[in-house]
Amino acid sequence: MPIHQKQPAIELVFLRLKEINMKILLNDKQRLSVPAEIFGYHFGSRIEPGVFAMASRLSPNYRGGYWDFYRTEQGGFFMVPHSDGQFLVCSNNGYEGYMSAEAFGITACLYVYSHATFTQGGKLLDSCADQFHLLRDHAKGHPEAMAIFEAID
């Protein structure tokens, strides 16, 4: 009779999307190709300057500077000021609070993507609508999700 050894129990753990929250910093080559792939020529003429302008409107202590570009695991795109500081965010909806550079960048991008869906047409409208939903889903898992959603709601 064979000897049966007790097998260890296998525990399966399912991670929800909000617990994963992966992002990829784009390198110099990708900084040109990825936004062009998503937004076409509109990135440099409407999206990027729109995010900079929105950042200036949202935060009295934003003073411009270099921005990092990120891609989420699900294909979302967002920009983040290259800063370790906190940004005071004052939204038109009455939200006021401090955010990290990443949360601030996500917030500014969500505003711009949403606005573009009401003011643009064609492929840019479709791209911005897709990016809004992808980035919003990504933001759900961010440590500052509550602040992001309070600022954009």
Side-chain angles (χ1 to χ4, degrees), residues 10-48:
I10 299 173
E11 182 180 333
L12 297 177
V13 178
F14 295 94
L15 297 176
R16 291 175 288 171
L17 176 62
K18 73 179 215 172
E19 294 171 339
I20 297 173
N21 209 28
M22 298 284 296
K23 65 181 186 276
I24 301 154
L25 177 63
L26 302 183
N27 63 34
D28 288 341
K29 183 178 179 183
Q30 293 167 322
R31 285 177 63 89
L32 297 174
S33 63
V34 170
E37 175 187 313
I38 297 169
F39 302 105
Y41 67 88
H42 298 291
F43 179 74
S45 64
R46 296 187 185 160
I47 302 301
E48 187 177 35

Side-chain angles (χ1 to χ4, degrees), residues 35 38-48 112-132:
I38 297 169
F39 302 105
Y41 67 88
H42 298 291
F43 179 74
S45 64
R46 296 187 185 160
I47 302 301
E48 187 177 35
V112 170
Y113 299 158
S114 175
H115 181 72
T117 65
F118 293 101
T119 60
Q120 303 300 316
K123 185 179 182 313
L124 182 58
L125 182 152
D126 294 340
S127 296
C128 288
D130 291 344
Q131 287 302 307
F132 178 86

